[in-house]
Amino acid sequence: MRFRHPDGSTVHLSYCTNVHPAETLDGVLAQLRDHCEPVRRRLGRDRLGIGLWLAREAARSLTTDPASLRALRAELDRRGLEVVTLNGFPYEGFGADEVKYRVYQPDWTHPDRLAHTTDLARLLAALLPEDVTEGSVSTLPLAWRTPFDAEAAATARTALTTLAGRLDALEELTGRSIRIGLEPEPGCIVETVADAVAALTTAPNPSTAPNPSPAPNPSSVTTAAPNPRIGVCLDTCHLATSFEDPRTALDSLAAAGIPVPKAQLSAALHAEHPHLPEVRAALAAFAEPRFLHQTRTRTAAGLRGTDDLPEALATSDHQATTAHGLPDATPWRAHFHVPLHAPPAPPLSSTLPVLQDTLALLVGGPHPRTHHLEVETYTWQALPAESRPRTRARLADGIAAELTLARDLLTDLGLKELP
């Protein structure tokens, strides 16, 4: 879906296809037929943007067989679909029964991550619509937080520098500008926007501590100019889970000169009173075996967290943090992408207001801070049983409803939907 911003530029809205498991090119083509086109038809649109997820096997098939790439491009056109952004965070296996920590491998210390992201950029340059010259790829925020020492950080930085050079060459060759966005996520080396600023502008490297740490000693930090090819993919679920203030986050990126190639519109799970038995019971229904649901709370001592929701629920004392729990005297937020249009029933809620505030700051001003917006609710089949869509048709209904909500938010901000 395309929107005209008051400044005359085009803002693209898509939904991410990582909600539909597919590891192979045949699986991707089936996604377009069975899911993406039905969503477009429900919206009554001639054209729908999708944030395509290409697992390593699918990407390799496309890079080694130009005919397959041409066929994919033709299939997108035939089904009224367009691609301006790719989700390059998961490498493979995102549809497995248990993903958990596997989603962070390979990280940016491994040459496979650089090779895969380079392939994605080249593929996107070939898949962009004829009238679009800029694309974006979101990626892993360097690595999961452990183990990650100074040598690993230097290796990751070198890989990103190499990637930026390849993107420069790609633009010279194709006329298409592709930018990469590190996607801050709880538990990763780059958990917050502040971590991203440190990673992209300073040396030595971002903190490896699992919880927010004091600012580095200025005498030990060398400021570096950010590379315009490498920026931040701002995920509003992750932003909310870490209790980041949207304005502070975006102001810090602007001050550092770091671009926002794309933003993912998503909402986290919020529990205002996690000490109550009924709230804990409601949260337990979201503790499932497939994905990590990092959980955070903001205390007087700072941000505290666990790697997964079951660990947070293991708290045995309302005021003390155990080895497997969180203080529950203050609200909790969990990294669980809940449907935008259908927040969980009370006593839980979602962080949709954070999404709304962030979106207003991103595109509600005189000029957009990003032109690529992607709805990314990949957890439909991980929802509590009573909330899961049981058929393809119901899943398509839900995704279309999310996109309708996002569309309405954009038009309320003064953007005009284009045919």
Side-chain angles (χ1 to χ4, degrees), residues 226-350:
N227 190 302
R229 294 286 183 190
I230 312 294
V232 167
C233 169
L234 200 63
D235 185 299
T236 57
C237 170
H238 304 173
L239 190 78
T241 300
S242 294
F243 288 87
E244 291 195 80
D245 173 66
R247 183 176 296 278
T248 301
L250 284 165
D251 284 351
S252 68
L253 291 172
I258 296 173
V260 183
K262 69 185 284 188
Q264 289 175 323
L265 307 184
S266 53
L269 189 63
H270 180 92
E272 186 69 18
H273 302 292
H275 66 284
L276 296 177
E278 61 269 27
V279 175
R280 301 176 79 83
L283 284 168
F286 286 84
E288 52 84 36
R290 185 172 174 187
F291 300 111
L292 277 186
H293 300 297
Q294 302 93 313
T295 307
R296 300 288 184 265
T297 189
R298 187 168 52 186
T299 72
L303 196 66
R304 306 297 293 270
T306 60
D307 284 357
D308 212 350
L309 185 53
E311 297 171 26
L313 290 168
T315 307
S316 61
D317 185 300
H318 290 175
Q319 300 301 322
T321 303
T322 69
H324 301 287
L326 277 183
D328 56 10
T330 50
W332 288 3
R333 288 176 179 174
H335 173 218
F336 194 118
H337 290 218
V338 296
L340 303 186
H341 70 293
L348 302 179
S349 62
S350 83

Side-chain angles (χ1 to χ4, degrees), residues 1 14 28 52 97 113 117 133 160 162 179 247 251 253 298 324 378 382 395 398 407 409:
M1 300 168 73
S14 62
V28 171
L52 198 59
D97 290 338
R113 175 61 66 172
T117 309
T133 60
L160 290 175
T162 300
R179 294 192 297 175
R247 183 176 296 278
D251 284 351
L253 291 172
R298 187 168 52 186
H324 301 287
Y378 59 83
L395 177 59
R407 178 197 65 194
L409 292 177

Side-chain angles (χ1 to χ4, degrees), residues 23-41:
E23 298 291 318
T24 66
L25 179 55
D26 285 344
V28 171
L29 296 173
Q31 287 179 345
L32 306 184
R33 179 193 67 226
D34 297 337
H35 300 287
C36 302
E37 185 177 12
V39 171
R40 178 183 65 77
R41 293 186 181 280

Side-chain angles (χ1 to χ4, degrees), residues 68 174 189 209 266 307 419:
S68 293
T174 66
I189 290 298
S266 53
D307 284 357

Side-chain angles (χ1 to χ4, degrees), residues 128-255:
L128 287 176
E130 293 295 338
D131 61 343
V132 175
T133 60
E134 294 185 357
S136 60
V137 180
S138 50
T139 188
L140 179 77
L142 299 187
W144 185 250
R145 69 175 183 267
T146 56
F148 201 82
D149 57 17
E151 181 180 357
T155 300
R157 181 181 290 275
T158 298
L160 290 175
T161 301
T162 300
L163 176 65
R166 293 176 180 178
L167 297 178
D168 287 340
L170 181 63
E171 183 172 11
E172 289 182 10
L173 180 66
T174 66
R176 304 294 179 87
S177 175
I178 308 299
R179 294 192 297 175
I180 307 299
L182 301 182
E183 183 183 330
E185 175 166 312
C188 291
I189 290 298
V190 174
E191 170 160 344
T192 65
V193 168
D195 294 333
V197 171
L200 295 174
T201 63
T202 62
N205 314 287
S207 170
T208 59
N211 287 309
S213 58
N217 183 337
S219 64
S220 68
V221 173
T222 301
T223 300
N227 190 302
R229 294 286 183 190
I230 312 294
V232 167
C233 169
L234 200 63
D235 185 299
T236 57
C237 170
H238 304 173
L239 190 78
T241 300
S242 294
F243 288 87
E244 291 195 80
D245 173 66
R247 183 176 296 278
T248 301
L250 284 165
D251 284 351
S252 68
L253 291 172

Side-chain angles (χ1 to χ4, degrees), residues 3-7 9 11 247 250 265 355-371 373 409-416:
F3 297 81
R4 182 73 67 205
H5 190 273
D7 75 347
S9 64
V11 173
R247 183 176 296 278
L250 284 165
L265 307 184
L355 183 161
Q356 293 172 296
D357 291 345
T358 307
L359 189 62
L361 293 167
L362 285 169
V363 302
H367 303 288
R369 293 288 306 275
T370 186
H371 290 87
L373 303 171
L409 292 177
L410 289 172
T411 56
D412 286 347
L413 290 170
L415 282 71
K416 179 181 179 181

